[in-house]
Amino acid sequence: MTTHDNDAYKPIATVDLAIFSLSPEGLAVLLVRRAGAPFSGDWALPGGWIHIDEDADLQAAARRVLKEKTGVETPYLEQLQTTGSAGRDPRGWSISIVYIALLSADDVAQRQDAMAGQAEWRAIEGEGVGLSLAFDHASLLREALGRIRSKVEYTNLPGHLLPARFTLSELQSVYESLLGRKLDKSAFRKRMAEADFLEPVEGEMRRASNRPAQMFRLKDAQSLVLFDRRI
Amino acid sequence: MTTHDNDAYKPIATVDLAIFSLSPEGLAVLLVRRAGAPFSGDWALPGGWIHIDEDADLQAAARRVLKEKTGVETPYLEQLQTTGSAGRDPRGWSISIVYIALLSADDVAQRQDAMAGQAEWRAIEGEGVGLSLAFDHASLLREALGRIRSKVEYTNLPGHLLPARFTLSELQSVYESLLGRKLDKSAFRKRMAEADFLEPVEGEMRRASNRPAQMFRLKDAQSLVLFDRRI
DNA sequence: CTAACTTAGTTGAAGATTTACACTAAGACT
DNA sequence: AGTCTTAGTGTAAATCTTCAACTAAGTTAG
């Protein structure tokens, strides 16, 4: 058929993941140290080749990489973008399909030993991690952060970073932390009620030395809900 | 290095375009007839292999395909999404990076003979073109339509489909056509003024047998402007 | 046992924005 | 000069946002 059946003309294709969770310092991203060339020893976003004999589709490839690095099977997962150019990998013309994954605090707590040595959480500072990353991964991370920060304004994205059950005050704190500004309590609660993505866990309350707070869970732990207006 | 240096393990990668313009019947998409196998003779979205010796990056590959099919060099161009799976192409595991392009009415008018026989505009009806398309292109088109319709709600996207100069009433008509509902004139004009992406062409008026209308142009013909609120 | 303290959750007044619709403006046509 | 058509503006009522105070419900200290 065409000359492009000759495999030398095929670009290289990898799936890379920007996996986020909440750390005590705020948003954090999972990084791995590269074992082999190129960029051996450098920090990078977790990723890997597409296994054409094993992965049914791109999403499956992303899930496989996620499972390998974190043990988590069903987080929030969304395709961010695809970059491809002649120069981004010294081995040749290469494509990276980038996914964003959000891990709930429960996932992180359960899996932190399984990940030992393989990968490490780094707190986000400004536009990145204050660390130079392999390939164009610093740029990919910047894009991922842009997408996340944008979606905090008009989606329930922060709900996917909390544990399975949380209070409205806790949810508001995560919004405030990601947005970098304080929100009005009554307006916030009104938005959440309108967006209709939470359900109260009957009878379950967060208890402390004050009035107990109703606990909530996401109605759907995989899907993002868009608000009618910005928060 | 790894077994994946063996090219048999590389997926196939193409760049495909959903190129839109306005036709008398509303939104239209550019389709081509496939010349060779697979799906020979079927309608498909224009696309092609990545030329690793010619294309600097994915965006350049998309621009090359666009130029080949339409002659247009600098339209609005945005990456939509990437699909990849074992089954979407009978030749093997394949990836398609899909771009959306919007052609101004001027571009379409100028290039309609250059395109003769190569490609054809089809009006959008509902979720597609009422025609079965090669590969998973019907699904890709559906995704592209979803993105476009969503962005009409909160961006100046329709401005990229009009000729270089247009009136506010004409712009409002395009919004209404794409949204499928009527808009309030004064609210519409207020949004457009706030979004600040138009400039009046001093002294140029659309004349008919009624009050003349001020003509406007986009301040930037390549970039999308987001509104603060939905339209 | 009760008062103080803390955070949860609600309420409401003042101000800002949106909506719906009517009004004025400026040309061509008769 | 009057009518018609579309351009463009104005406005009152309804809605939404903001800001802050208020009530609620528990624990803790005395």
Side-chain angles (χ1 to χ4, degrees):
Chain A
M1 287 152 63
T2 77
T3 55
H4 297 94
D5 283 343
N6 182 326
D7 287 326
Y9 287 89
K10 287 185 187 175
I12 305 163
T14 63
V15 169
D16 295 303
L17 274 76
I19 306 171
F20 294 99
S21 71
L22 285 179
S23 74
E25 297 84 41
L27 195 63
V29 66
L30 195 69
L31 297 179
V32 296
R33 257 190 202 284
R34 287 189 55 78
F39 297 101
S40 185
D42 283 10
W43 290 102
L45 298 177
W49 307 103
I50 292 163
H51 294 182
I52 65 175
D53 45 0
E54 184 182 347
D55 302 322
D57 56 29
L58 287 174
Q59 178 106 358
R63 286 193 185 281
R64 177 178 51 73
V65 171
L66 186 72
K67 175 109 190 287
E68 286 166 8
K69 302 297 179 194
T70 68
V72 175
E73 307 223 21
T74 58
Y76 174 76
L77 187 65
E78 131 180 2
Q79 192 183 95
L80 171 64
Q81 65 172 16
T82 301
T83 53
S85 73
R88 60 181 296 280
D89 187 321
R91 289 166 294 188
W93 220 106
S94 85
I95 291 173
S96 165
I97 299 117
V98 184
Y99 281 80
I100 290 176
L102 304 180
L103 263 52
S104 82
D106 288 344
D107 287 335
V108 177
Q110 276 177 31
R111 306 296 178 168
Q112 68 189 8
D113 42 322
M115 281 171 34
Q118 282 197 77
E120 198 176 307
W121 291 107
R122 288 283 303 195
I124 298 297
E125 298 160 11
E127 295 289 292
V129 287
L131 210 57
S132 80
L133 301 182
F135 304 103
D136 53 359
H137 286 193
S139 153
L140 301 183
L141 175 58
R142 198 161 46 243
E143 293 289 334
L145 282 170
R147 170 81 66 98
I148 284 186
R149 285 176 177 147
S150 153
K151 288 204 166 177
V152 174
E153 292 277 357
Y154 63 97
T155 74
N156 71 344
L157 184 146
H160 294 275
L161 293 167
L162 284 163
R165 303 185 176 198
F166 49 84
T167 68
L168 286 176
S169 295
E170 288 162 358
L171 182 60
Q172 184 174 345
S173 289
V174 177
Y175 271 93
E176 289 174 342
S177 152
L178 294 176
L179 290 170
R181 67 172 196 270
K182 287 288 177 186
L183 298 174
D184 178 77
K185 183 161 54 163
S186 80
F188 179 79
R189 282 162 188 249
K190 190 172 169 226
R191 278 276 182 283
M192 297 305 117
E194 282 168 1
D196 189 37
F197 66 95
L198 292 173
E199 58 188 4
V201 186
E202 295 302 340
E204 247 188 272
M205 304 297 251
R206 164 89 65 230
R207 321 195 131 267
S209 66
N210 50 26
R211 176 171 174 174
Q214 177 63 54
M215 304 214 63
F216 291 85
R217 68 171 150 242
L218 298 179
K219 285 187 177 172
D220 181 340
Q222 249 96 298
S223 75
L224 210 63
V225 176
L226 276 65
F227 303 158
D228 283 341
R229 298 203 182 285
R230 296 224 185 131
I231 203 165
Chain B
M1 289 155 61
T2 76
T3 54
H4 297 96
D5 281 342
N6 182 326
D7 287 327
Y9 287 89
K10 286 185 187 175
I12 306 164
T14 64
V15 168
D16 294 304
L17 274 76
I19 306 171
F20 294 99
S21 71
L22 285 179
S23 75
E25 297 83 40
L27 196 62
V29 66
L30 195 69
L31 297 179
V32 296
R33 256 191 202 284
R34 286 189 54 79
F39 298 100
S40 185
D42 284 9
W43 291 101
L45 298 177
W49 307 103
I50 293 163
H51 294 182
I52 65 177
D53 45 359
E54 185 182 345
D55 303 322
D57 57 28
L58 286 175
Q59 177 107 359
R63 286 194 186 281
R64 177 177 51 73
V65 171
L66 185 72
K67 175 111 189 285
E68 287 166 7
K69 302 296 178 196
T70 68
V72 176
E73 306 222 23
T74 58
Y76 174 76
L77 187 64
E78 137 182 354
Q79 192 183 94
L80 171 64
Q81 65 172 18
T82 301
T83 53
S85 74
R88 59 181 298 279
D89 186 322
R91 289 165 293 187
W93 220 106
S94 85
I95 291 172
S96 164
I97 299 116
V98 184
Y99 281 80
I100 290 176
L102 304 179
L103 263 53
S104 83
D106 289 345
D107 287 335
V108 177
Q110 276 176 32
R111 305 297 177 168
Q112 68 188 7
D113 41 323
M115 281 172 33
Q118 283 197 74
E120 197 175 307
W121 292 106
R122 288 283 302 197
I124 297 296
E125 298 159 11
E127 296 289 294
V129 287
L131 210 58
S132 80
L133 301 182
F135 304 104
D136 53 359
H137 287 193
S139 153
L140 302 184
L141 175 58
R142 198 161 47 242
E143 294 289 333
L145 283 170
R147 169 83 64 100
I148 283 185
R149 285 175 176 149
S150 153
K151 287 205 168 177
V152 174
E153 294 275 357
Y154 62 96
T155 74
N156 71 344
L157 183 147
H160 295 276
L161 293 167
L162 284 164
R165 302 182 179 201
F166 50 85
T167 69
L168 287 176
S169 296
E170 287 162 358
L171 182 59
Q172 183 173 345
S173 289
V174 179
Y175 271 92
E176 290 173 342
S177 152
L178 295 176
L179 290 170
R181 68 173 195 268
K182 287 287 176 186
L183 298 175
D184 178 81
K185 184 161 54 164
S186 82
F188 179 80
R189 282 161 188 251
K190 190 171 171 231
R191 276 276 182 286
M192 298 305 116
E194 282 169 1
D196 190 36
F197 67 94
L198 292 174
E199 57 189 6
V201 185
E202 295 301 340
E204 249 189 88
M205 303 297 245
R206 164 90 63 232
R207 323 197 130 266
S209 65
N210 51 24
R211 177 173 174 173
Q214 177 64 53
M215 304 212 63
F216 291 84
R217 68 172 150 240
L218 298 179
K219 285 186 178 173
D220 180 340
Q222 248 95 301
S223 74
L224 209 65
V225 176
L226 276 64
F227 304 159
D228 282 344
R229 298 203 183 285
R230 298 227 184 126
I231 203 165

